[in-house]
Amino acid sequence: MGGDRDGNPRVTPEVTRDVCLLARMMAANLYFSQIEDLMFELSMWRCSDELRIRADELHRSSKKDAKHYIEFWKQIPPNEPYRVILGDVRDKLYNTRERARSLLANGFSDIPEEAAFTNVEQFLEPLELCYRSLCACGDRPIADGSLLDFLRQVSTFGLSLVRLDIRQESDRHTDVLDAITKHLDIGSYREWPEERRQEWLLSELGGKRPLFGPDLSKTEEVADVLDTFHVISELPSDSFGAYIISMATAPSDVLAVELLQRECRVKQPLRVVPLFEKLADLEAAPAAVARLFSIDWYRDRINGKQEVMIGYSDSGKDAGRLSAAWQLYKAQVELVKVAKQYGVKLTMFHGRGGTVGRGGGPTHLAILSQPPDTIHGSLRVTVQGEVIEQSFGEEHLCFRTLQRFTAATLEHGTHPPVSPNPEWRALMDEMAVVATKEYRSVVFQEPRFVEYFRLATPELEYGRMNIGSRPSKRKPSGGIESLRAIPWIFAWTQTRFHLPVWLGFGAAFKHVIQKDIKNLHMLQEMYNQWPFFRVTMDLIEMVFAKGDPGIAALYDKLLVSKELWPFGENLRANYEDTRRLVLQVAGHRDLLEGDPYLKQRLRLRDAYITTLNVCQAYTLKRIRDPDYHVKVRPHLSREYKESSKAAAELVKLNPTSEYAPGLEDTLILTMKGIAAGMQNTG
């Protein structure tokens, strides 16, 4: 939050700056209370000579009483050396906190930087001195208590509490460089071919002269990108993690960010992470990364380490779940080969969503289904907004989630999953082509698909409501291609149809089975022996267990114009065919027969979610057709009539809504309820 600006106009450079300063202030505040506890605890006078000398120096130079502290506000006597040392740490933490507070409030601070902690080593050094002294004096059990806990916390969270990743779309960097090249009268960067872009970027990175001055003419978008880089240069480097380029396609995208960091005088440049998302970008990713590694300047810059992010959400939206999952698998295998060839340690960063259509699924299985050699004891995974609470909302959940990640990562390293044999790979390649064609023929080539999608789902209403993490589209105009992956998946989840998850599977299975019945046996063999294929199939089966084409038919009947009804009927027939084929390949007679526990949990939820679906469908009808009235049976009870005044008061709760009273609240409640009911179980 505050770092990911990809298409979100509300994440401004000022927001990024404020988030970093707030985090520093909060970190100092949390440490401050623990330092006071340690000052109470470490009252002993026995210490090492090293600590005694330091304590005496500090005692001589310490100021008068500090009345702004609740405890230990008088000057600490020299016969309490640990308290003298910790008192100095407390003074600096106080200054660190107050400096961050005044920078946040006023943009400047009277407290000089040298009076506060500027890096974590300064903070750790006196604490480690206390630890060494306690051990040397035979007080090891005390040293290994609260002090060691505190040392571990400081080492983990530093002074910044969190390292903020900055994320921006590649197109926005192209806009900035285009403005610069036009300003320099050397042409339009946007129109240059990839080779020319790389050549120019590398020549500038090798040079020393600044590219532009204050006279550069800037649009609002260009200024926003440059201001973000200036914020990165002004704040301490430990505030930031990686700079992620979404929709990355080529080596020039990475070099562009490197050049902009240098131009904006970022003293310790952030590591640059390309995010490959769409199918074509994933296919081209290994070649793009190999080109970067072949550049001497770039290899010197990365010091043998590279992080690459792969996107599950947009690849699924672009080509469907089957093709996306297979291309993500292949891209990882090829990227690992490239990294080995150039002697670079590669960290894969998985941009998974919470739902199956966005790469979600049970953590343990998802990690174990990764290709061999892609997890060497380390991986990065995004935890999306919609699943943060269910994974980290309570202390015991945090531990369980972290245990799952750790166990699966270790297991993947000690017992790597099997590599697919060549026949399996060839069959997957063939199926992926058919699945992509089927998916795109419906979603992108069917002339009335967008109209049907907007009528049959609550997508438009969702876009208007403030319950997403950012605007529902990257660009205000445009169809499905500009729609973000979250509302795309969310809208189909609401109607229990889950189209983006299963569309393409049926056509792919039908094609290979009709071609040769032996392929069915091969698919069943793949299901039983290959973790990647099994996890993919099990997740689709789970989605079918949650789906209900009857509910989708109700939305069609109430909300879709009659001439589009046959279109919905064809899609539902496709749904049933795909479900039958998935069961056939898995060798199951019924959905989830291999997981009766999950089946029972979904059955328990069903009655509640169906009620919400019906309520939502009728609410949408009333929103879109104000003349439509749901008939209520006349025999209302006396109690209801007496309480109707309270009901009338309730519908005034949302006075800013453009809809009739109560409708927006009802819609939000049904949306959140259905989303909760559809969350991955297991």
Side-chain angles (χ1 to χ4, degrees):
M1 284 157 63
D4 183 353
R5 59 233 316 116
D6 179 10
N8 190 347
R10 291 190 282 273
V11 183
T12 60
E14 293 74 38
V15 166
T16 300
R17 180 178 171 279
D18 288 356
V19 166
C20 290
L21 287 170
L22 275 167
R24 289 187 100 67
M25 192 171 86
M26 189 181 281
N29 207 32
L30 289 165
Y31 293 145
F32 188 81
S33 61
Q34 285 177 273
I35 277 287
E36 291 202 314
D37 292 344
L38 279 172
M39 286 175 78
F40 268 107
E41 204 173 306
L42 303 183
S43 58
M44 60 283 288
W45 54 267
R46 188 175 53 185
C47 67
S48 65
D49 292 342
E50 183 190 19
L51 188 130
R52 170 92 46 213
I53 292 162
R54 173 79 65 84
D56 288 345
E57 283 172 10
L58 286 172
H59 188 265
R60 281 196 297 275
S61 63
S62 67
K63 302 172 199 70
K64 293 178 194 154
D65 302 346
K67 295 275 169 67
H68 51 252
Y69 296 136
I70 296 170
E71 307 286 354
F72 300 110
W73 56 268
K74 279 193 170 299
Q75 191 180 21
I76 296 161
N79 63 348
E80 294 173 5
Y82 291 99
R83 285 179 171 170
V84 172
I85 299 279
L86 294 173
D88 182 60
V89 172
R90 181 180 65 165
D91 290 346
K92 284 191 172 146
L93 267 180
Y94 179 85
N95 289 339
T96 306
R97 183 182 70 187
E98 294 310 308
R99 182 176 158 76
R101 194 197 302 277
S102 52
L103 282 170
L104 199 58
N106 314 313
F108 64 89
S109 174
D110 297 332
I111 299 167
E113 202 173 30
E114 52 274 16
F117 287 124
T118 51
N119 64 59
V120 75
E121 285 73 27
Q122 295 172 336
F123 189 6
L124 282 169
E125 195 270 331
L127 299 174
E128 286 167 350
L129 172 61
C130 291
Y131 185 84
R132 283 197 305 275
S133 173
L134 286 167
C135 292
C137 296
D139 288 328
R140 183 74 183 250
I142 294 171
D144 285 344
S146 333
L147 179 59
L148 184 58
D149 282 351
F150 189 56
L151 274 162
R152 284 173 175 153
Q153 283 178 12
V154 174
S155 304
T156 304
F157 297 102
L159 290 168
S160 58
L161 196 62
V162 289
R163 280 179 177 269
L164 200 64
D165 281 355
I166 303 295
R167 176 166 143 173
Q168 182 59 280
E169 200 183 346
S170 59
D171 234 24
R172 298 290 297 276
H173 306 131
T174 305
D175 289 344
V176 175
L177 291 170
D178 193 59
I180 292 169
T181 55
K182 283 177 177 168
H183 175 71
L184 297 171
D185 289 328
I186 55 171
S188 167
Y189 177 86
R190 183 176 283 286
E191 287 162 20
W192 290 351
E194 176 62 17
E195 289 73 23
R196 174 139 190 230
R197 286 184 182 188
Q198 287 181 33
E199 194 184 316
W200 180 74
L201 289 165
L202 285 167
S203 72
E204 290 301 333
L205 282 163
K208 293 211 170 114
R209 66 184 175 82
L211 265 180
F212 61 90
D215 58 333
L216 174 70
S217 59
K218 294 178 267 203
T219 62
E220 215 172 290
E221 285 81 9
V222 168
D224 182 81
V225 173
L226 290 172
D227 288 348
T228 301
F229 280 106
H230 286 129
V231 164
I232 296 169
S233 71
E234 287 160 17
L235 289 166
S237 59
D238 65 350
S239 300
F240 301 103
Y243 193 106
I244 298 163
I245 311 161
S246 61
M247 294 293 172
T249 56
S252 61
D253 291 328
V254 174
L255 297 173
V257 173
E258 294 285 10
L259 182 61
L260 289 171
Q261 289 198 90
R262 196 203 71 181
E263 279 306 304
C264 297
R265 296 178 182 81
V266 179
K267 290 182 278 297
Q268 286 180 276
L270 277 56
R271 65 183 191 277
V272 181
V273 179
L275 163 52
F276 300 105
E277 297 180 82
K278 293 196 169 173
L279 207 65
D281 301 337
L282 284 164
E283 283 170 7
V289 171
R291 169 67 186 132
L292 282 170
F293 291 167
S294 69
I295 298 167
D296 293 338
W297 180 90
Y298 189 75
R299 258 206 331 280
D300 293 343
R301 157 82 176 93
I302 60 172
N303 196 21
K305 289 177 189 167
Q306 176 68 48
E307 194 174 304
V308 172
M309 189 172 181
I310 50 173
Y312 290 70
S313 301
D314 280 287
S315 56
K317 182 166 80 77
D318 179 41
R321 185 79 182 91
L322 179 69
S323 309
W326 178 230
Q327 192 54 55
L328 285 157
Y329 187 97
K330 288 200 297 184
Q332 287 184 72
V333 171
E334 292 305 313
L335 285 165
V336 166
K337 280 185 193 164
V338 168
K340 275 186 180 167
Q341 185 188 336
Y342 286 95
V344 174
K345 184 186 185 311
L346 185 73
T347 299
M348 299 304 307
F349 184 6
H350 299 267
R352 287 177 177 277
T355 52
V356 172
R358 299 180 55 234
T363 301
H364 196 81
L365 289 176
I367 292 173
L368 290 183
S369 66
Q370 298 306 312
D373 279 346
T374 54
I375 300 172
H376 283 292
S378 69
L379 84 160
R380 275 194 92 191
V381 183
T382 49
V383 179
Q384 301 284 336
E386 73 264 33
V387 288
I388 284 177
E389 197 166 349
Q390 75 179 47
S391 299
F392 296 95
E394 293 172 28
E395 194 175 335
H396 72 281
L397 289 177
C398 274
F399 277 101
R400 200 159 66 197
T401 300
L402 292 168
Q403 279 168 354
R404 279 192 192 133
F405 274 108
T406 309
T409 305
L410 290 171
E411 195 177 332
H412 191 284
T414 50
H415 298 290
V418 296
S419 290
N421 63 43
E423 293 85 28
W424 297 355
R425 290 183 70 102
L427 193 64
M428 280 300 295
D429 283 337
E430 194 177 337
M431 289 199 304
V433 171
V434 177
T436 304
K437 190 177 171 193
E438 161 87 354
Y439 178 88
R440 287 178 174 168
S441 71
V442 173
V443 174
F444 297 110
Q445 286 150 21
E446 181 63 55
R448 298 194 70 180
F449 176 78
V450 175
E451 185 189 351
Y452 172 79
F453 166 61
R454 295 208 162 130
L455 289 171
T457 70
E459 185 260 325
L460 287 172
E461 288 77 8
Y462 172 80
R464 265 191 229 132
M465 291 179 191
N466 191 20
I467 59 175
S469 58
R470 47 191 165 191
S472 61
K473 287 191 173 187
R474 274 195 167 92
K475 296 179 177 74
S477 58
I480 302 297
E481 66 288 341
S482 71
L483 186 71
R484 285 196 170 278
I486 295 177
W488 166 240
I489 298 287
F490 190 93
W492 289 110
T493 304
Q494 292 290 302
T495 64
R496 307 272 290 280
F497 199 47
H498 306 285
L499 176 126
V501 185
W502 57 261
L503 186 60
F505 271 86
F509 289 150
K510 197 180 282 183
H511 169 80
V512 294
I513 292 168
Q514 284 176 354
K515 185 178 168 188
D516 186 347
I517 193 64
K518 285 181 189 165
N519 285 336
L520 176 58
H521 302 302
M522 198 194 292
L523 286 167
Q524 288 170 342
E525 188 183 88
M526 287 158 66
Y527 180 76
N528 291 318
Q529 294 177 27
W530 186 17
F532 161 77
F533 191 69
R534 185 180 188 107
V535 166
T536 305
M537 294 295 291
D538 285 351
L539 289 176
I540 298 302
E541 201 176 317
M542 177 176 76
V543 167
F544 275 124
K546 293 176 182 175
D548 188 337
I551 296 288
L554 172 70
Y555 280 78
D556 272 20
K557 187 182 167 193
L558 283 172
L559 305 167
V560 175
S561 48
K562 275 190 180 170
E563 66 269 22
L564 284 173
W565 283 2
F567 186 64
E569 282 160 17
N570 289 340
L571 286 175
R572 288 192 290 280
N574 190 339
Y575 176 99
E576 294 295 355
D577 281 351
T578 306
R579 189 174 72 116
R580 182 177 52 75
L581 286 158
V582 165
L583 287 173
Q584 197 178 354
V585 169
H588 294 164
R589 286 189 309 277
D590 196 14
L591 289 169
L592 293 181
E593 71 173 43
D595 194 345
Y597 175 62
L598 176 55
K599 192 174 182 177
Q600 175 68 2
R601 286 169 75 177
L602 290 178
R603 195 175 286 162
L604 285 169
R605 294 178 183 195
D606 192 59
Y608 301 97
I609 306 170
T610 300
T611 308
L612 288 168
N613 277 123
V614 173
C615 186
Q616 184 182 88
Y618 278 98
T619 304
L620 285 167
K621 177 72 174 168
R622 289 179 68 188
I623 283 172
R624 294 176 189 180
D625 179 4
D627 300 327
Y628 180 82
H629 294 290
V630 182
K631 291 187 174 68
V632 180
R633 281 177 295 179
H635 52 276
L636 293 175
S637 65
R638 192 163 53 85
E639 289 83 2
Y640 178 81
K641 285 178 180 170
E642 284 170 5
S643 69
S644 61
K645 281 182 188 167
E649 290 299 312
L650 266 178
V651 295
K652 290 180 192 166
L653 280 178
N654 203 344
T656 57
S657 174
E658 60 192 86
Y659 303 134
L663 290 184
E664 183 169 324
D665 294 320
T666 307
L667 195 56
I668 289 176
L669 285 169
T670 59
M671 280 182 173
K672 292 190 172 182
I674 295 164
M678 291 287 106
Q679 270 180 344
N680 291 336
T681 312

